[in-house]
Amino acid sequence: MTTTTEDNLAVVRRWAELVNAGDIDAAVECLAPDFSGYFTGMPEAVHGPEGFKQMYLGFIKPSFPDQRITIEEELASGDRVAVQVSWTATQQGPFLGIPPSGKGIVVAGTGIFRVVDGKITDEWMQEDFLGIYQQLTQG
Amino acid sequence: VADADNQAVVRRYYDEVVSKGNYDVLGELFAEDYHSHHNDPIGLPTGPEGVKQFIGGTRAGFPDLTITVDDLFGEGDLVASRWTLRGTHTEEWFGTPATGKSAEWAGVVISRLADGKIAEEWFNFDQLRLLQQLGIIPSG
């Protein structure tokens, strides 16, 4: 299959939209079976669509059920896509030892994806952990 | 300015400044009005001086700091990169006393270039893993 950088950008945009919609089963169909995800604070990679789904259901959704990713900058070259995102969410469950605060947060993230044959094979995403911590605990 | 030239500027920043601490080249690599969007608790100035203080402070706290550029690519006026920094925290680091601990932490960066210089950066790095490895915040 021949894919272009525009196709790869479309896969990443679709991935973000489906995660935003909370449709995790459809979202993980954007991921390759051998997907590896490298995320802030995690010493080990998340593996496969099922690994991502477990992280989302176990770690993200309970604390931030309304989480939303907005792509603000993007570029693509070869099989890679880079994005600058803002991440908005309301804390509804415990997170990093912080009890549910009901606070709304907006933090930045920067990520690189590798897309092969229309599926995301790798994601490296760093989020502003300091900002999350500051916004949940201050003010 | 070709895409490849922009990528060479970003690579030179990592090779010369982050890896070797050669701050004399900062004026060639960063625009006078350079600014970064990262969450900055230090209050760094804009322009090359802010980069000097940020990298200088990190290299001072981690004197054996090394950088591995894991990926670097570009399109138009943007360059994306990701890196791994490794070092041992044997000196004071932005007010945090030395812990003597080793750490490695990842970062992802998007740089915008104008007239062959880095004018703007969006970046995030794994502060959580770094602080956990130094024992400043608990793991887990």
Side-chain angles (χ1 to χ4, degrees):
Chain A
M1 181 166 31
T2 303
T3 54
T4 66
T5 55
E6 196 53 45
D7 295 331
N8 293 342
L9 277 167
V11 171
V12 172
R13 291 186 199 123
R14 176 174 164 75
W15 158 245
E17 285 165 13
L18 291 168
V19 174
N20 286 347
D23 191 348
I24 193 63
D25 287 320
V28 298
E29 286 180 19
C30 297
L31 305 180
D34 60 350
F35 170 79
S36 295
Y38 305 86
F39 301 108
T40 304
M42 302 183 64
E44 305 293 336
V46 169
H47 290 295
E50 189 59 30
F52 187 90
K53 184 176 170 181
Q54 286 175 14
M55 180 187 75
Y56 174 82
L57 294 177
F59 190 62
I60 298 172
K61 191 179 179 193
S63 299
F64 302 104
D66 67 347
Q67 72 88 38
R68 181 160 192 87
I69 304 155
T70 305
I71 296 175
E72 299 192 326
E73 300 282 341
E74 60 186 20
L75 68 142
S77 177
D79 63 3
R80 264 106 75 237
V81 172
V83 294
Q84 172 69 23
V85 304
S86 71
W87 189 71
T88 58
T90 312
Q91 190 200 7
Q92 306 287 7
F95 187 72
L96 297 169
I98 303 164
S101 65
K103 286 184 176 167
I105 61 174
V106 186
V107 297
T110 318
I112 292 175
F113 296 80
R114 194 165 78 92
V115 185
V116 177
D117 294 338
K119 301 276 189 186
I120 297 168
T121 61
D122 300 272
E123 176 183 359
W124 297 267
M125 176 64 76
Q126 291 297 333
E127 303 259 357
D128 174 17
F129 162 77
L130 177 64
I132 295 174
Y133 189 82
Q134 287 170 329
Q135 291 177 43
L136 292 181
T137 58
Q138 296 169 12
Chain B
V1 180
D3 290 7
D5 295 335
N6 286 339
Q7 291 168 53
V9 170
V10 175
R11 190 172 289 282
R12 201 169 156 224
Y13 162 50
Y14 295 142
D15 289 346
E16 294 281 331
V17 180
V18 181
S19 183
K20 295 178 189 161
N22 178 8
Y23 307 114
D24 292 340
V25 301
L26 279 170
E28 298 170 40
L29 304 179
F30 286 84
E32 277 308 305
D33 62 350
Y34 159 83
H35 62 287
S36 154
H37 295 271
H38 93 287
N39 184 356
D40 166 23
I42 302 160
L44 295 165
T46 58
E49 178 59 26
V51 181
K52 182 179 179 180
Q53 290 182 22
F54 188 52
I55 301 304
T58 305
R59 287 179 50 85
F62 297 80
D64 63 351
L65 189 77
T66 63
I67 182 168
T68 304
V69 179
D70 300 305
D71 198 3
L72 194 148
F73 59 95
E75 180 196 9
D77 62 355
L78 298 177
V79 174
S81 55
R82 66 185 174 81
W83 43 250
T84 306
L85 287 175
R86 295 180 179 84
T88 315
H89 179 212
T90 56
E91 302 291 338
E92 183 178 307
W93 169 60
F94 294 114
T96 303
T99 61
K101 294 193 169 144
S102 296
E104 68 171 69
W105 63 103
V108 185
V109 185
I110 296 177
S111 312
R112 183 177 65 79
L113 283 93
D115 299 328
K117 293 185 179 182
I118 301 169
E120 192 172 6
E121 272 184 334
W122 297 264
F123 71 86
N124 283 284
F125 61 92
D126 200 335
Q127 298 157 322
L128 178 54
R129 280 286 295 147
L130 172 57
L131 296 173
Q132 285 177 336
Q133 291 172 83
L134 298 185
I136 293 169
I137 58 174
S139 294

